[in-house]
Amino acid sequence: MISVHDLSPGELAALLHFHADAGVEWLLEDEAVDRFAEFEAMKAARRSAAPAPQAPEARETASRAATASTQRGAAQPERSAQRPQPAIPDSEAIQQARFAAESARSLLELKTALEAFNGCNLKHSARSTIFASGDAASGIMLIGSAPGAEDDREGQPFAGRPGQLLDKMLAAIGLDRAGILLTQVIPWRPPGNRVASPAEMDICRPFIERQIALAEPKVILLLGNFAARVFFGEGDTIHGLRGQWREIAAGDRVVPAIATLHPQDLLTAPVNKRLAWNDLLAFQAKLTEFNSAS
């Protein structure tokens, strides 16, 4: 095994990038472990613990006993075997989600209902249920696509490097995360940060729509390709959907919304920051318009 101390800075950086691309997000051990040596030691221990060869007569007796046991097992199945729990059909899960969401009369009740809801398979692989954070009374709502690894670990939306960049974007137009409402379309991190399936989105949709209805925002900023597609109902990319004011229906209200690139998109392609800046200026102008009218 090659020690980290034997690697050059360039080789170490390449190794870390390789692990990150492969989905490794944190280390489980303080010191490196030679798994190959462990495996060889396990094989040696099994060989030393293996029973001595039996005489022919003993092998024949054991064979007859095994055959009889198999026949008894076939005639009477073992009752202690555990059966897997049946999955909730998508249509039933959607109905349960709608009922749970519509029954909530406040954001706190909706948070409790979401945390108790088990109808979406994404919840079973995620650490945290990500719900809205910030100030709902501000009238300003930012909606991202789905939690990332840092969000899942910290239990809040827009954590880690994307969250730090978002804080800078908000500060550039005179806002901060404590003074607005931040949330995600999908409340649970999809495994490997994959895109949520249509069925998963349909199950989660009642909860995000109810969040909007209860928060009663005056204006919404959508972050990322997935969030824009969900609310604008189009299959275009974020580059085709961004910078255009649309209307989102939530309950009995219609809210103006504009989409821009997600902070993670900007970390991947910084050249697009100028596009996001234009969208932020349009968002700021809309806020100024609302403040002047009130």
Side-chain angles (χ1 to χ4, degrees):
M1 176 176 290
I2 301 175
S3 172
V4 172
H5 302 290
D6 298 330
L7 299 177
S8 67
E11 291 172 331
L12 181 59
L15 179 61
L16 292 175
H17 282 299
F18 169 78
H19 285 316
D21 292 339
V24 178
E25 296 167 349
W26 65 83
L27 299 177
L28 300 180
E29 305 288 349
D30 294 332
E31 299 292 338
V33 178
D34 190 340
R35 302 298 181 188
F36 296 102
E38 282 188 352
F39 181 66
E40 293 299 329
M42 290 173 58
K43 288 198 300 183
R46 288 177 181 174
R47 285 195 298 267
S48 62
Q54 293 179 329
E57 295 81 1
R59 288 199 299 269
E60 183 178 355
T61 301
S63 177
R64 287 198 298 268
T67 302
S69 177
T70 302
Q71 291 174 349
R72 288 194 301 270
Q76 184 176 359
E78 188 175 339
R79 294 182 179 180
S80 60
Q82 295 182 351
R83 298 179 180 177
Q85 294 296 324
I88 301 177
D90 292 339
S91 58
E92 183 177 340
I94 294 172
Q95 292 178 357
Q96 292 179 2
R98 287 173 179 167
F99 178 79
E102 292 172 1
S103 299
R105 292 294 176 263
S106 68
L107 287 174
L108 181 58
E109 289 184 10
L110 184 61
K111 182 177 185 291
T112 301
L114 183 61
E115 291 173 342
F117 182 75
N118 293 312
C120 184
N121 65 299
L122 293 177
K123 184 176 184 179
H124 306 304
S125 61
R127 283 188 176 189
S128 306
T129 297
I130 308 299
F131 193 72
S133 67
D135 184 11
S138 66
I140 304 171
M141 193 171 190
L142 268 67
I143 304 177
S145 299
E150 293 290 340
D151 303 344
D152 193 35
R153 280 196 289 271
E154 298 188 18
Q156 65 176 3
F158 300 102
R161 290 185 64 206
Q164 294 170 6
L165 179 55
L166 178 62
D167 290 341
K168 294 178 180 178
M169 295 166 64
L170 294 174
I173 57 173
L175 300 175
D176 64 80
R177 69 165 61 212
I180 61 177
L181 192 66
L182 297 176
T183 191
Q184 308 271 17
V185 174
I186 303 294
W188 303 287
R189 180 200 179 197
N193 291 339
R194 65 168 174 81
V195 177
S197 69
E200 292 164 348
M201 181 59 248
D202 289 341
I203 295 171
C204 296
R205 183 184 291 274
F207 292 106
I208 185 60
E209 290 182 345
R210 188 61 176 160
Q211 282 187 60
I212 298 173
L214 292 172
E216 299 183 344
K218 298 178 180 178
V219 63
I220 293 176
L221 178 63
L222 302 174
L223 299 173
N225 191 65
F226 184 80
R229 286 182 174 181
V230 167
F231 288 104
F232 292 164
E234 298 182 17
D236 203 349
T237 67
I238 188 61
H239 290 279
L241 298 174
R242 53 156 290 273
Q244 306 171 39
W245 284 101
R246 314 281 185 95
E247 291 184 338
I248 293 178
D252 57 352
R253 304 180 71 253
V254 175
V255 185
I258 191 172
T260 191
L261 291 94
H262 194 281
Q264 183 60 56
D265 300 333
L266 301 179
L267 290 173
T268 304
V271 69
N272 290 324
K273 287 183 178 181
R274 58 182 181 83
L275 301 177
W277 176 239
N278 290 334
D279 300 334
L280 290 175
L281 291 177
F283 188 70
Q284 184 185 41
K286 180 69 72 171
L287 294 177
T288 302
E289 177 184 331
F290 279 119
N291 292 334
S292 299
S294 58

